[in-house]
Amino acid sequence: MKRLLFSLYGFAFFNKFLLLTPVYAIFMQANGLSDLQLSTMFIISAFGTILGQFPITYITNRIGQRWSMIIGQVLKATAILLWLVFPNYAGFVVGMFLWGVQAGFRSVAFEGLVYDSVAAYGLRREYSRILGRKSTYESIGTALSAFGSLLMFMGYDWVTWASVMAILISIICLMMVPYRPSRIGTKASKSIPMRELFRTGLRICLRTPCLLSVMILTLLVVNIPFLDDFLSPIGLQIGIPTEYVGIVPLFLLGCATLGQRFAYKFANVSDVLLYSLIGVVGILFVLFGHSYNISALWTMGIAYMLFYGIYTLLYSRFQHMVPTRHRSVILSLYTTFNYILYMMVCGVIGLGATLGSWRFSIMILGGLMFIVCAWALFVVRHSCTFNTFRSRQ
């Protein structure tokens, strides 16, 4: 079990420890992309994830979760090297598309691998804690990537190659995952056609109101306040110099790490409190958008701590409800809807920016969180209570 967790946490860290994270959006804009075009980059990435769902799920069920993840990492390394060779709009489009396909592999194969690995050791009740720690290592990797902006004096080439090295280390971590043919990272049943698997997955979601409600709520909570890809341009707008712009993701993802790390301690929190905190996140977003300066970053720090913690708890509940036999298919559906919502949110952010500043986008997202909060309190709470969830464990 120690080797398993070391391997999974290692992959989670190095997959996110990319020094180009805080600078690639700035690099794209320095090479001619407008604010709206930058938003389309993330939409293209999401489109790659959605378009790849069927082949990703097919590959995962044929060759196993671990090898599927390795394929995804190779695509990710190819994407960022492509930007180095072709730093233009076309190169950015192809690279973001490939990165989106890799994100699909991670969402379907890696999330399934983590849960199935934990379940194979009989530790389902520990999943919330392990998920929180896994997410914590991801956030630490992303936060440390913020130092990439400090290293830009060495050139974008150096930052890119350092990021490729991190991806290679993440592949080594995947190869270290213990091989247990009975459960972990192995091939799924090949006797069931993929079309039937998807139909079954849809039927399970539609016929289980609790599962569907929690899945939709989780998707809304993780997507609407997700500003990670825009943090560097936002930092520039509030007055932070380019070489120090990494401070913004470093601070906010540090707060997110705290929320994820200790979320499991609140696994038994009431639905009313959990859903009400979604509205608090919305209030904090509006406050930051109204002030929109460096001194107001503390409001975003609290918002990030809350929304990452809420997401960890909701995603844990969702995973517990998914039947093991159809996990890869339902996670594929989840990923598809996840990136459809992400594309919509990127569109909202891009349109908000056309008003003259990212602040308007942030305030609009805060307002949407109020709506999600109300829906969760008055609809989801009655269709799927925490007591119902607990009785399923």
Side-chain angles (χ1 to χ4, degrees):
M1 187 63 183
K2 289 182 178 180
R3 178 185 171 186
L4 171 67
L5 293 179
F6 178 82
S7 304
L8 295 177
Y9 293 157
F11 171 81
F13 174 81
F14 284 104
N15 180 53
K16 293 292 186 177
F17 182 54
L18 303 179
L19 293 175
L20 60 81
T21 299
V23 297
Y24 74 88
I26 298 174
F27 175 77
M28 289 179 177
Q29 292 199 299
N31 281 273
L33 266 64
S34 66
D35 288 348
L36 185 58
Q37 286 178 322
L38 180 62
S39 296
T40 64
M41 288 296 105
F42 302 120
I43 293 175
I44 289 168
S45 176
F47 183 70
T49 304
I50 295 171
L51 200 63
Q53 284 309 293
F54 186 88
I56 287 170
T57 306
Y58 176 80
I59 291 171
T60 300
N61 280 279
R62 293 287 295 184
I63 67 176
Q65 296 158 332
R66 180 170 54 178
W67 285 105
S68 296
M69 282 302 305
I70 292 174
I71 292 175
Q73 294 306 96
V74 172
L75 291 177
K76 188 174 186 177
T78 302
I80 63 177
L81 287 174
L82 188 64
W83 297 340
L84 193 62
V85 178
F86 301 104
N88 51 46
Y89 187 82
F92 295 147
V93 167
V94 176
M96 289 300 287
F97 183 85
L98 293 178
W99 199 330
V101 175
Q102 181 274 337
F105 274 108
R106 188 196 63 79
S107 297
V108 174
F110 186 57
E111 297 302 337
L113 177 63
V114 173
Y115 189 89
D116 289 342
S117 299
V118 172
Y121 284 92
L123 297 174
R124 279 191 174 90
R125 292 184 178 274
E126 296 293 312
Y127 176 70
S128 294
R129 180 175 61 84
I130 293 172
L131 175 64
R133 288 186 175 179
K134 186 268 295 182
S135 299
T136 296
Y137 282 108
E138 289 179 332
S139 293
I140 292 174
T142 303
L144 291 178
S145 298
F147 290 104
S149 63
L150 298 176
L151 300 173
M152 278 299 289
F153 71 92
M154 300 177 66
Y156 186 80
D157 294 14
W158 188 90
V159 174
T160 299
W161 283 109
S163 299
V164 171
M165 182 59 65
I167 294 174
L168 293 177
I169 296 175
S170 74
I171 293 176
I172 294 174
C173 291
L174 287 173
M175 297 300 296
M176 292 172 59
V177 173
Y179 181 74
R180 294 183 64 179
S182 58
R183 296 292 296 276
I184 301 176
T186 57
K187 301 177 183 179
S189 172
K190 294 187 250 184
S191 59
I192 304 176
M194 285 299 301
R195 186 176 301 176
E196 179 60 30
L197 280 173
F198 272 98
R199 280 202 296 261
T200 302
L202 284 171
R203 283 198 300 268
I204 291 172
C205 291
L206 294 175
R207 294 178 181 178
T208 313
C210 184
L211 172 62
L212 183 61
S213 296
V214 173
M215 181 174 73
I216 294 174
L217 181 59
T218 304
L219 289 168
L220 291 172
V221 167
V222 73
N223 279 287
I224 293 177
F226 187 81
L227 288 171
D228 294 24
D229 295 323
F230 298 89
L231 292 180
S232 294
I234 289 173
L236 289 178
Q237 277 195 352
I238 62 176
I240 299 177
T242 301
E243 61 270 24
Y244 300 115
V245 76
I247 293 174
V248 178
L250 179 63
F251 169 67
L252 293 183
L253 294 177
C255 294
T257 298
L258 291 177
Q260 293 169 326
R261 176 66 180 82
F262 297 104
Y264 76 95
K265 292 182 177 293
F266 302 92
N268 293 324
V269 71
S270 69
D271 289 346
V272 173
L273 177 57
L274 183 63
Y275 300 158
S276 296
L277 289 175
I278 297 173
V280 174
V281 174
I283 293 173
L284 292 169
F285 264 57
V286 172
L287 288 176
F288 176 74
H290 176 72
S291 301
Y292 206 58
N293 53 46
I294 298 175
S295 61
L297 276 175
W298 68 269
T299 59
M300 287 298 288
I302 298 175
Y304 258 62
M305 189 184 304
L306 287 175
F307 110 71
Y308 269 89
I310 295 168
Y311 164 68
T312 300
L313 294 176
L314 289 175
Y315 190 76
S316 176
R317 295 184 183 188
F318 166 67
Q319 281 277 32
H320 280 301
M321 297 175 187
V322 177
T324 300
R325 179 179 176 83
H326 300 286
R327 188 171 306 281
S328 64
V329 176
I330 293 180
L331 285 180
S332 181
L333 294 173
Y334 175 91
T335 301
T336 300
F337 295 137
N338 181 41
Y339 282 92
I340 289 174
L341 275 173
Y342 177 71
M343 291 169 65
M344 295 171 65
V345 170
C346 285
V348 170
I349 294 174
L351 291 175
T354 61
L355 298 176
S357 172
W358 297 110
R359 70 186 304 172
F360 299 110
S361 305
I362 295 170
M363 296 178 72
I364 292 172
L365 296 181
L368 292 175
M369 289 299 284
F370 293 145
I371 298 175
V372 173
C373 173
W375 176 70
L377 285 171
F378 296 105
V379 179
V380 178
R381 186 165 64 92
H382 297 291
S383 65
C384 183
T385 64
F386 177 64
N387 289 332
T388 301
F389 161 75
R390 184 166 54 192
S391 67
R392 289 173 178 267
Q393 291 188 337

